[in-house]
Amino acid sequence: MLNKIGAKKLMTLKEKKLVFQMLFRTIKNYKKIVVYIFFLAIVSFGINLISPRIESKIVDSGILSKDIKSLVSLVLIVILLKFISEFIFFIQSYLKTYISIDVREKMSIDAFGHILKLKVKHIKKFGLYKIVKDVEYDLTMITQIFSEQCLECVFELAKIIGYFIGLLLIDWRMTCFIVILVPFKCVQNKIMNKIREKSYDKLLEIQKQISEWQSDIFDGIYEIKLWNLYDKQKNIYSTLLKKSNQVVKRISILDGVDLLLNNIYENSIFNLLYIIAGVLIWKNQLTLGEMIAFISFSQYLFQPIAILMDLNATIAEITPALKSFLKFNDMEEENFEGKRIVNEINSIEFKNVYFSYDKQPIFKGLNFSLNKGERTILVGKNGAGKSSIFSLLLRYYEPDSGQILVNGIDISEIPIDKYRELFSCVSQEVFLFNDTIKNNVFINNDQQFETLNKLLRFKDKFREKENKIVGKNGIYLSGGERQRIAFARCLNKKSEILLADEVTSNCDNDSKKLIEKILNESKFKIVLLITHDKQMCSLFEKMILLDEGEIIYQGNNKNNLGGKK
C-alpha cells in the first residue's frame, strides 16, 4: 500500500515537472519578451517596496502633522507611482495576450500537421473526428497556463518580494504574523488541488467519450435516419452530457468552497492585525499611519500569493490534458525519412508479404510482380484482400514481414511523399473538396483544361464553367461527373502508376465508355485495376485472382476470362 502511495506521489511530481519543462521550453522561444518582463518586474518590485512607506508618511507626516506641503508632495508621488504601476500592468496584459495567442497558434498548427501525418492505423482505430476534438480540448486546457499564470507569476513574484520587504520595514512583528499563517493557506490549496485534479481527469475521460460518440454519429447519420434511432441517440447524448455537467458542478462547488475558505482566512488575519497593531500603538512602537499602510498593503500581499497558488491549481487542471496530448504526440507518423529516390518505374514486387489487420491475418506469404508496360486486373470475392493490396502499395499500412520492392528497392527506403508521387489513384467512392471543379482537378498545380476537355465537358452546362463549386464531397454533381473529375485528377498528376478501384461502378454509359477509352490509351507505365466489370476486364492483358488472401491464378487474362467469375 505504501509503495502504491509512493509511486502515486512520484507520478504527481513527474507530471508537475513535465508541465514546467513544457512551460520553460516554450518560453525559451520568447527570450526578448522575457527580458522585457524581468525589467518590468524589477520596476514593479521597486514600486511595491516603497509604496507602503509612502502611504504611512501621508498619514503621519502629512495629515496628523498638518503639513500641507508634505501631504501634497507625498500624494503626487503616490499618483505617479500608481500611473507607472498601471502602465506596467497594461504592457503586461499586452505581452501576455501576444504570447498566449502565438503559443496556441503554433501548438495548433503543429498538432494539425501531426494529425495529417499520422499512420492510418491510428485514424482507423480512434477516428479522425475524435482525434481532432480531443486535441482541441487538450490544447484549450493546456494553453490556460500561457494565457494567465505564466507571465503573471513573474510580476506577482516581484510584487510579493516588494510588498514583503516594504511591510517588514514598517513592522517586522506583524509581518512575521502574516508569514507564519501563509503555510496554512498552502496546505488548504494543496488539498483542494488534489481533489480538483481528480475531477478534471474524470471530465477529460467523459469528454473523450463524447468525442468518440460524436464521431460515430456523424459517420452513421443515414443509419440513424433509416432505423429511427433518434430517441436512442438523444438519450445516449443526454446521459453523457449529464455526466459531464455533474463533474462541472462538482468543480464549481469546489471552487466556491476554496474561495469561501480563502475569504474567511484572509478576513480573520486582517481583523487579528487590528489587535496586534492596537497593542503596538499603545506601547508607542507603531504609528497610526504605519498601521493603516500595513493593513492596506498586507491585503495586496495576499493577491499575488493567491495568483501563485492558482498557478498550482491550473497545473492540476491541465495535467490530465497534458498527459492526453503527450499520448497524441507519441502516435506514430508515417515515415518521411529515406534516401532512395525512384524516378522511373520498371517493376513492383510483393516478396513473401505477411500482413494482418487488427490481429486478423490477411496475407500469408504473398508473392506477385507488376512490370513496366503491364495492365493488370485484380479480381476476387469481397474480403479476398484486393483493397489491402492497394493499401500496402500506397503505404497506408506496412507488412508484418516480407518486402514490397520498386525497381528492387524496398519502398520503406523511399521518402513517403516522394513515393506517393509515383501513384495516381481513383476509387469507387470519390472524395471531392468543397471547392471549384478546377481546384478539385488541379490540386497541386495549375494546368489548361484543353488537355482534359473530353473528360470535363460536363462543366459547360454550368454558368460558372470550371469555377463551379461542387459542394461538400461533390453533392452538386452526379456520380459519373464526380468519377470524371477523379480521373482527370489522375491524368493531370502524370504519375507512372495508376491504381483504380471499381472506377465505373457509379458511372452512366457515356462516362463508362469514355473512361474505358482513356484507360486503353493511357500512358501509365503500370496499371492495376480492381473490377467486376467483364467489359473492363477484356481491356487488360494480365489477371491476378485472389481468394482469402491467396493468389490462386496469376497470368494471361485472355486465357482465363471465363474462370474469374
Side-chain angles (χ1 to χ4, degrees):
M1 182 70 179
L2 287 172
N3 287 337
K4 285 184 180 179
I5 294 170
K8 193 171 182 181
K9 283 184 177 178
L10 183 63
M11 184 59 66
T12 304
L13 288 171
K14 282 183 178 179
E15 287 165 359
K16 286 186 177 180
K17 185 179 178 182
L18 203 62
V19 173
F20 283 110
Q21 282 176 346
M22 181 200 72
L23 187 62
F24 290 123
R25 194 162 52 242
T26 305
I27 288 174
K28 276 172 67 178
N29 298 324
Y30 303 92
K31 290 178 182 176
K32 187 180 279 188
I33 294 176
V34 171
V35 171
Y36 294 151
I37 290 169
F38 273 108
F39 173 74
L40 293 172
I42 291 168
V43 176
S44 180
F45 166 77
I47 292 171
N48 296 323
L49 179 66
I50 62 175
S51 291
R53 202 68 189 167
I54 295 172
E55 292 278 352
S56 67
K57 292 290 183 183
I58 287 175
V59 176
D60 295 332
S61 303
I63 297 172
L64 296 180
S65 300
K66 298 180 181 181
D67 186 345
I68 188 65
K69 187 177 179 181
S70 296
L71 180 61
V72 171
S73 299
L74 291 167
V75 168
L76 288 174
I77 292 171
V78 169
I79 291 171
L80 178 62
L81 291 176
K82 185 65 177 175
F83 173 79
I84 295 170
S85 181
E86 291 300 321
F87 183 70
I88 289 172
F89 177 77
F90 168 76
I91 296 174
Q92 171 196 1
S93 298
Y94 170 76
L95 294 175
K96 186 171 64 175
T97 302
Y98 172 80
I99 289 184
S100 170
I101 292 172
D102 201 54
V103 168
R104 176 66 189 260
E105 181 181 301
K106 286 179 179 177
M107 290 185 75
S108 297
I109 291 170
D110 289 344
F112 181 68
H114 183 51
I115 288 171
L116 293 179
K117 293 179 180 179
L118 283 178
K119 286 191 171 181
V120 172
K121 66 179 183 180
H122 298 303
I123 296 170
K124 287 282 188 183
K125 182 177 180 180
F126 300 107
L128 188 60
Y129 179 86
K130 181 182 184 301
I131 293 172
V132 171
K133 294 299 288 185
D134 287 349
V135 169
E136 283 179 355
Y137 178 82
D138 292 343
L139 286 178
T140 299
M141 297 299 293
I142 291 168
T143 50
Q144 283 185 48
I145 200 166
F146 297 103
S147 61
E148 293 296 335
Q149 285 84 356
C150 176
L151 296 179
E152 202 166 353
C153 282
V154 178
F155 289 95
E156 300 308 324
L157 191 60
K159 282 183 184 179
I160 289 173
I161 297 169
Y163 283 135
F164 176 74
I165 295 174
L167 294 174
L168 203 60
L169 292 173
I170 293 175
D171 189 86
W172 65 270
R173 289 156 295 194
M174 294 174 70
T175 305
C176 289
F177 172 73
I178 292 176
V179 172
I180 289 169
L181 293 176
V182 166
F184 292 100
K185 185 165 182 164
C186 293
V187 171
Q188 171 206 320
N189 184 263
K190 189 173 182 180
I191 294 169
M192 288 295 184
N193 284 341
K194 279 187 177 180
I195 302 170
R196 193 179 277 114
E197 184 175 344
K198 287 180 181 177
S199 297
Y200 275 99
D201 215 346
K202 182 67 177 174
L203 187 62
L204 179 65
E205 182 185 332
I206 295 168
Q207 181 60 40
K208 288 182 179 294
Q209 290 175 9
I210 292 174
S211 295
E212 189 172 358
W213 173 82
Q214 287 175 332
S215 177
D216 198 40
I217 284 297
F218 293 150
D219 290 339
I221 187 64
Y222 292 107
E223 296 300 313
I224 291 168
K225 291 178 179 294
L226 181 63
W227 294 94
N228 292 321
L229 300 176
Y230 308 107
D231 291 338
K232 181 180 179 181
Q233 295 301 331
K234 186 178 176 181
N235 289 336
I236 292 172
Y237 182 58
S238 175
T239 302
L240 289 170
L241 208 56
K242 283 177 181 176
K243 283 183 181 179
S244 176
N245 288 336
Q246 283 174 357
V247 179
V248 171
K249 287 175 186 175
R250 197 180 307 140
I251 292 170
S252 180
I253 292 169
L254 184 67
D255 290 341
V257 171
D258 197 17
L259 181 63
L260 176 66
L261 292 175
N262 281 333
N263 289 340
I264 292 172
Y265 169 81
E266 290 177 15
N267 187 265
S268 301
I269 287 176
F270 296 141
N271 283 291
L272 287 170
L273 281 173
Y274 281 109
I275 298 174
I276 298 170
V279 172
L280 292 173
I281 289 172
W282 296 336
K283 292 181 177 181
N284 293 320
Q285 295 176 359
L286 189 74
T287 67
L288 182 61
E290 288 172 336
M291 182 198 78
I292 294 171
F294 189 95
I295 293 175
S296 175
F297 279 88
S298 62
Q299 293 177 359
Y300 294 145
L301 177 66
F302 279 101
Q303 288 175 4
I305 290 175
I307 289 170
L308 285 175
M309 288 183 175
D310 283 344
L311 173 63
N312 204 28
T314 302
I315 291 172
E317 290 174 18
I318 72 169
T319 297
L322 179 61
K323 287 190 287 185
S324 172
F325 188 73
L326 291 174
K327 282 183 182 178
F328 158 74
N329 274 334
D330 287 339
M331 287 183 182
E332 291 176 281
E333 290 187 356
E334 294 178 319
N335 182 20
F336 284 79
E337 303 291 324
K339 298 179 179 178
R340 307 294 294 272
I341 300 294
V342 175
N343 295 317
E344 187 175 340
I345 288 290
N346 292 314
S347 65
I348 300 173
E349 182 183 2
F350 275 59
K351 192 173 182 180
N352 200 32
V353 169
Y354 283 76
F355 174 65
S356 58
Y357 179 74
D358 198 24
K359 298 183 180 179
Q360 181 68 34
I362 307 296
F363 300 129
K364 299 177 181 179
L366 189 68
N367 291 281
F368 71 88
S369 62
L370 305 171
N371 298 308
K372 182 179 178 180
E374 288 183 344
R375 295 187 302 171
T376 307
I377 57 166
L378 189 58
V379 292
K381 298 175 182 177
N382 290 335
K386 304 185 296 296
S387 296
S388 296
I389 287 176
F390 276 28
S391 294
L392 288 169
L393 275 173
L394 295 171
R395 290 173 67 178
Y396 293 149
Y397 297 98
E398 297 171 357
D400 299 333
S401 63
Q403 289 180 300
I404 302 173
L405 307 172
V406 170
N407 294 355
I409 301 169
D410 194 308
I411 60 175
S412 63
E413 298 178 25
I414 306 169
I416 199 164
D417 52 338
K418 300 297 182 185
Y419 173 78
R420 285 181 181 151
E421 286 178 3
L422 300 170
F423 293 85
S424 285
C425 302
V426 59
S427 64
Q428 182 178 358
E429 296 297 329
V430 175
F431 175 80
L432 299 180
F433 294 98
N434 188 12
D435 205 336
T436 63
I437 293 173
K438 180 179 179 180
N439 290 340
N440 268 288
V441 173
F442 306 122
I443 294 178
N444 283 330
N445 51 40
D446 196 4
Q447 300 286 339
Q448 295 300 315
F449 261 90
E450 284 72 16
T451 56
L452 303 168
N453 201 43
K454 288 182 181 178
L455 265 176
L456 301 172
R457 192 170 293 156
F458 69 88
K459 67 182 171 56
D460 295 333
K461 72 180 182 180
F462 301 115
R463 179 174 54 83
E464 305 93 332
K465 304 292 184 182
E466 64 268 22
N467 294 315
K468 168 69 178 175
I469 300 291
V470 302
K472 184 176 173 59
N473 203 15
I475 193 172
Y476 300 139
L477 306 177
S478 68
E481 289 166 347
R482 290 197 296 271
Q483 206 75 43
R484 287 180 180 220
I485 289 177
F487 243 93
R489 187 188 285 172
C490 287
L491 293 173
N492 178 63
K493 191 178 179 184
K494 294 183 172 60
S495 302
E496 302 234 325
I497 306 165
L498 173 65
L499 303 181
D501 184 1
E502 300 289 1
V503 289
T504 58
S505 60
N506 293 324
C507 291
D508 54 61
N509 286 331
D510 290 340
S511 297
K512 182 178 175 181
K513 288 178 182 178
L514 183 58
I515 288 171
E516 287 174 359
K517 184 181 179 184
I518 290 169
L519 280 172
N520 207 31
E521 297 173 353
S522 69
K523 296 180 180 179
F524 291 105
K525 302 289 178 62
I526 294 174
V527 177
L528 182 60
L529 175 75
I530 296 174
T531 186
H532 291 91
D533 188 310
K534 289 185 179 181
Q535 180 62 34
M536 290 289 289
C537 288
S538 65
L539 302 174
F540 287 71
E541 302 85 18
K542 184 178 177 181
M543 173 191 288
I544 296 174
L545 179 58
L546 280 173
D547 186 37
E548 295 184 356
E550 294 184 7
I551 295 176
I552 59 175
Y553 175 78
Q554 182 179 184
N556 192 298
N557 180 36
K558 306 295 182 182
N559 296 335
N560 199 60
L561 193 58
K564 70 168 184 63
K565 294 179 183 178

